[in-house]
Amino acid sequence: MKRFLATLACLAFCLFAWADKVVMKDGRQFEGAIVDETDEIVKLKMSKGTIPIRKSEIDRIERGTSGIQDMEARLEALTTDNPSGYVDLAAWCIEQNLGDPPTIRRLANIGIALDDSLASRGNSLLGDYMLAKGDRGLAATYYLRAYQADWKNAALRHKLQEHKEALAEERIKQVTTLRDGLQLALDSKWEDAIRKLQAARETPMADQIGTYSATYKSFALLLADLRARVPCKTCSGTLTVKCLTCKGVGNRSCTPCGGKGRIRKTVGGRPEETTCTTCKGSGKLRCEKCAGKARTACPSCKGIRPASASTLDVRGLKALKDAADARTRGSLPIEEQVGPKLPKLGLTVYDEDLVDDGRYYYAKGEWVSEK
């Protein structure tokens, strides 16, 4: 968070025109950002520091809005009812040269998590963005995800083929991450292991875990077993969170009838009461997202109570770790990584580690789970 705020500050005073201009009575002009103002003094923050200026010496102040302020306002206006708004804002930030990579990646991934039809567009956008940033490996990974969501798209296939070498290099990094994650699991460092293994979940070696372990037939089972050893931080083990759609209200009062269930109308010059057609006489409107319960399944644990952790398959995990280690040393060939595997065609993918915390709203300079 501190790094993000520092980035915002840097962008505010380096990349964009100053928001405010102070024109003095003697003709001098100062540009900066007004950080404090009293009846007598205006404090203007400039590139070389903050200076106080007497209002008696000021002819006029031309106030403006900086790019950062505009971005902050747009971030705070985001709502989960409009998933495409997150991807749109990510695209706008890229176009305006605003924000940092973690913020832009989070925006696009939240949009995809809320609406999987945005997977192709969101991942393709991130691929182009990371490529412009010089990270060809991560760019190729995003192109692969976009292609998995829209595998008939010839343009995406071309991009994927174009960055074949970079994708292979990225996969080597993922195999290394897989190896390190398995070692952390063997060392009983559950949370660190989960983070590492989630980052390596797309490497084909992750799908081969059933070959090495009799306990974990799939990589998902391994992650589930490790998560069972760590309580969910988002919901504190309750499995539910406040509904994002109704803000935890559930059933709200019907506005047309004021919650009475009936509406007064004038028919033939005579006042009559009729049943409210909006709430059908109940006086309440039920939130469709949570079915009026005010809470929904936790986005992190998906509302699923983890099964009791099984006995850790030390032998199987060590065997997979040794195989991954051999591949990073070049003892075994890295699998061909260009193009998705057939079982994954059309699968929506996104950075789960960026959205698993359920913090989809932005307020007062940070991401929050509710407003």
Side-chain angles (χ1 to χ4, degrees):
M1 187 62 214
K2 291 181 179 178
R3 181 180 296 177
F4 175 65
L5 293 176
T7 302
L8 289 183
C10 178
L11 288 170
F13 294 103
C14 297
L15 296 180
F16 310 104
W18 297 107
D20 305 312
K21 179 187 291 186
V22 177
V23 181
M24 308 297 289
K25 291 180 179 179
D26 60 8
R28 291 179 299 161
Q29 297 183 6
F30 299 97
E31 293 186 0
I34 294 177
V35 294
D36 191 20
E37 184 174 355
T38 66
D39 292 337
E40 298 180 354
I41 296 291
V42 169
K43 290 186 178 180
L44 188 70
K45 186 168 185 178
M46 304 173 65
S47 59
K48 295 183 179 180
T50 302
I51 61 171
I53 305 175
R54 294 184 181 276
K55 281 192 171 181
S56 59
E57 300 175 1
I58 297 175
D59 177 55
R60 68 181 185 277
I61 297 176
E62 298 177 3
R63 302 178 188 271
T65 301
S66 70
I68 283 294
Q69 291 171 321
D70 192 6
M71 183 182 75
E72 290 271 303
R74 290 171 183 254
L75 283 168
E76 294 188 0
L78 290 171
T79 171
T80 53
D81 294 334
N82 181 24
S84 63
Y86 289 84
V87 179
D88 291 341
L89 183 52
W92 180 84
C93 287
I94 294 172
E95 181 181 344
Q96 299 296 321
N97 196 24
L98 285 166
D100 56 0
T103 301
I104 291 172
R105 289 176 60 198
R106 186 181 185 93
L107 282 169
N109 278 283
I110 289 176
I112 298 170
L114 292 173
D115 183 357
D116 57 13
S117 68
L118 297 169
S120 177
R121 178 191 168 205
N123 281 306
S124 182
L125 174 72
L126 291 177
D128 293 341
Y129 175 63
M130 297 313 301
L131 186 62
K133 288 288 183 181
D135 194 335
R136 294 181 65 238
L138 189 53
T141 298
Y142 281 123
Y143 288 143
L144 175 58
R145 292 178 180 176
Y147 185 53
Q148 287 174 345
D150 186 11
W151 57 276
K152 293 183 179 180
N153 190 312
L156 288 175
R157 181 180 181 84
H158 175 73
K159 286 183 178 180
L160 199 56
Q161 292 287 351
E162 186 178 359
H163 301 287
K164 174 180 178 179
E165 182 179 340
L167 186 57
E169 293 174 357
E170 183 68 16
R171 288 306 191 228
I172 293 176
K173 293 180 183 178
Q174 289 184 343
V175 172
T176 303
T177 302
L178 174 66
R179 178 200 64 191
D180 296 343
L182 291 169
Q183 184 59 58
L184 288 168
L186 291 169
D187 293 339
S188 301
K189 298 179 180 179
W190 313 125
E191 293 184 77
D192 292 337
I194 291 170
R195 281 192 290 270
K196 284 280 188 180
L197 294 175
Q198 280 183 327
R201 66 188 179 279
E202 290 185 27
T203 179
M205 280 205 72
D207 292 337
Q208 297 173 10
I209 189 170
T211 305
Y212 298 90
S213 172
T215 302
Y216 309 119
K217 297 301 182 182
S218 69
F219 202 66
L221 287 177
L222 169 61
L223 287 173
D225 183 56
L226 296 181
R227 290 192 183 103
R229 304 167 193 271
V230 181
C232 176
K233 293 183 178 180
T234 303
C235 65
S236 301
T238 63
L239 307 184
T240 63
V241 295
K242 184 184 292 186
C243 176
L244 296 175
T245 302
C246 67
K247 311 296 188 296
V249 176
N251 293 325
R252 57 187 177 85
S253 178
C254 176
T255 302
C257 66
K260 297 179 180 179
R262 300 185 67 79
I263 296 179
R264 294 182 64 85
K265 291 184 177 181
T266 301
V267 180
R270 299 175 57 187
E272 292 184 2
E273 279 194 355
T274 59
T275 301
C276 176
T277 57
T278 303
C279 64
K280 297 181 175 54
S282 67
K284 301 287 185 181
L285 292 178
R286 189 179 73 167
C287 173
E288 297 297 330
K289 181 71 174 179
C290 64
K293 297 179 180 178
R295 300 185 70 82
T296 56
C298 172
S300 298
C301 63
K302 314 303 180 187
I304 301 174
R305 188 177 301 280
S308 299
S310 60
T311 302
L312 193 70
D313 184 3
V314 175
R315 178 180 294 181
L317 295 186
K318 189 176 185 305
L320 181 57
K321 182 190 80 70
D322 290 343
D325 192 38
R327 290 171 188 262
T328 59
R329 295 196 310 268
S331 302
L332 293 173
I334 296 291
E335 299 91 345
E336 175 62 49
Q337 299 299 327
V338 176
K341 293 177 292 182
L342 289 177
K344 289 190 175 182
L345 288 179
L347 178 65
T348 298
V349 286
Y350 55 90
D351 289 320
E352 294 180 3
D353 55 314
L354 293 179
V355 298
D356 268 356
D357 56 12
R359 297 180 180 181
Y360 295 167
Y361 293 107
Y362 188 85
K364 297 180 180 179
E366 63 180 347
W367 291 98
V368 295
S369 57
E370 57 186 53
K371 286 188 177 180

